[in-house]
Amino acid sequence: MGNWRMSILAFLLGACTLQSNREMENAYPAAIEAVGAESTDFWVRVHAIEFLIDLGHRDQARRLIEQCRVYEDSVPQRIGYWRMMYRVSEGTGRQSWLQKIKEAYLDSTGHDRIHAAETLAKLDFSLASQDRGITARDLNDPGALGAYVNWGMALRENAEPDYERILAALEDTSAVRKRVAAYALTFMKPLPAAYAQRLFHIAIKEPAGSGALPYLLHAAFIQNDDSVVTPDREALNRRLYDLAGLPGKDGPISFCKAVAAKGDRGAEAVLKKIYSEPVSPTEPGLSGIAKAAHDDIRVAAAFALASIFSK
């Protein structure tokens, strides 16, 4: 009889745990959706909506994108709106949104060319076939525009990217070029082994406080598997986990995205801490900028938790 009762108790406890896990699975997309609907920072809304798209919640994403239509003609927010529309559209309609972004980049008098160049690269659109006069001039820009165009020029239509171009930028003396190249590599998986090993060597040696470090560690972590010889895998993993506790948002968000991409269940406790313990939005004196950063970090943690639970 005692064993029978224990079996029933174990079954009930297991059912409760399963129910609790399901409730949490639903809670994370709901939290992302709330930020996508309510944040006063447009770009935080974009990030939240794109996380919903990545999680497969396209209907909720479309509804939230519709609420952003007021930004369709605003510079530079229109780039974010067009990007979201591209991601949830199909066929010729999809290409029309891409065309708008491309035209914004090619408009030499435009004021959102950097946003457009970045978005085209994120959408895996190659700039190699575009007006060579424009791209050559932009590549000489020492700031963000030149860095994003360099990423776009490394992409190839129906072919592997020019990995050498991106890895060379990691060794550039320009902090902006290095940071954007590291960010670009977080979108490229898998790298050929030789390039992955170069990335690992650069990431493991990158000093603390470098603006490129979060993206280097993110990129290295998602490339890290048994098929590639890693200089010090454990050290790379430790450095990635250290990002979770860094001030600002680049470190924690890079950590969240990296463990989400790998489905790293070992990160669950850290992610829950990030999700539940960022700065309180009701804290007296909290600025709008701090609130936006809080929301950005929290939705990244919610995305990672939802991703891990779904795998």
Side-chain angles (χ1 to χ4, degrees):
M1 180 67 73
N3 289 340
W4 177 79
R5 287 176 178 168
M6 290 299 293
S7 296
I8 292 294
L9 179 59
F11 173 79
L12 292 173
L13 288 173
C16 289
T17 300
L18 183 61
Q19 179 65 25
S20 175
N21 286 341
R22 284 175 178 167
E23 288 174 356
M24 291 309 297
E25 285 182 54
N26 293 330
Y28 298 129
I32 297 171
E33 187 174 352
V35 171
E38 300 167 7
S39 178
T40 57
D41 186 293
F42 172 77
W43 294 106
V44 172
R45 292 178 72 181
V46 170
H47 299 159
I49 293 167
E50 291 191 318
F51 280 140
L52 288 175
I53 296 171
D54 291 338
L55 290 170
H57 297 279
R58 299 178 72 85
D59 290 340
Q60 294 93 320
R62 287 189 185 94
R63 179 175 57 80
L64 294 175
I65 294 169
E66 178 62 27
Q67 296 175 15
C68 295
R69 183 181 286 187
V70 293
Y71 296 102
E72 184 174 7
D73 298 314
S74 300
V75 175
Q77 290 90 343
R78 63 181 187 168
I79 302 297
Y81 175 77
W82 295 344
R83 185 172 85 202
M84 292 188 293
M85 288 299 299
Y86 172 83
R87 293 197 61 194
V88 297
S89 300
E90 297 177 357
T92 56
R94 192 172 194 239
Q95 293 307 307
S96 69
W97 297 110
L98 186 65
Q99 182 65 24
K100 286 177 178 289
I101 301 167
K102 185 172 72 173
E103 289 173 358
Y105 164 67
L106 294 173
D107 179 3
S108 61
T109 64
H111 297 289
D112 48 10
R113 299 186 68 238
I114 294 175
H115 285 81
E118 177 185 4
T119 286
L120 289 170
K122 283 182 176 180
L123 296 178
D124 202 32
F125 179 82
S126 174
L127 292 180
S129 62
Q130 301 305 300
D131 187 309
R132 292 300 180 92
I134 293 175
T135 55
R137 184 190 64 219
D138 290 343
L139 283 169
N140 288 323
D141 182 281
L145 179 61
Y148 285 121
V149 171
N150 188 63
W151 175 3
M153 293 294 288
L155 300 174
R156 295 286 184 265
E157 188 174 352
N158 300 319
E160 285 193 338
D162 181 352
Y163 296 118
E164 184 61 40
R165 187 180 195 118
I166 296 295
L167 267 293
L170 286 186
E171 296 153 353
D172 200 300
T173 55
S174 165
V176 175
R177 287 275 172 129
K178 186 170 191 173
R179 179 174 55 79
V180 170
Y183 184 52
L185 287 170
T186 68
F187 290 82
M188 298 179 183
K189 187 176 185 286
L191 288 177
Y195 292 110
Q197 287 166 6
R198 279 174 65 184
L199 167 62
F200 294 147
H201 282 289
I202 294 168
I204 201 70
K205 294 178 181 178
E206 190 70 7
S210 160
L213 181 62
Y215 307 114
L216 284 170
L217 293 173
H218 175 180
F221 186 76
I222 63 176
Q223 300 293 338
N224 195 352
D225 61 43
D226 294 336
S227 67
V228 180
V229 178
T230 307
D232 191 339
R233 182 170 296 171
E234 290 304 315
L236 279 170
N237 290 351
R238 285 195 301 273
R239 293 198 81 186
L240 180 90
Y241 270 71
D242 286 344
L243 295 178
L246 291 184
K249 67 180 188 177
D250 289 347
I253 290 176
S254 292
F255 168 78
C256 292
K257 289 182 175 180
V259 296
K262 291 285 281 188
D264 181 9
R265 285 189 171 271
E268 184 176 338
V270 179
L271 290 169
K272 286 181 175 177
K273 182 178 176 65
I274 295 172
Y275 177 78
S276 62
E277 296 183 6
V279 178
S280 169
T282 59
E283 183 175 324
L286 190 67
S287 71
I289 294 174
K291 173 64 166 62
H294 161 276
D295 287 342
D296 229 5
I297 295 169
R298 192 164 187 263
V299 295
F303 166 71
L305 285 162
S307 297
I308 289 170
F309 273 123
S310 69
K311 291 180 179 178

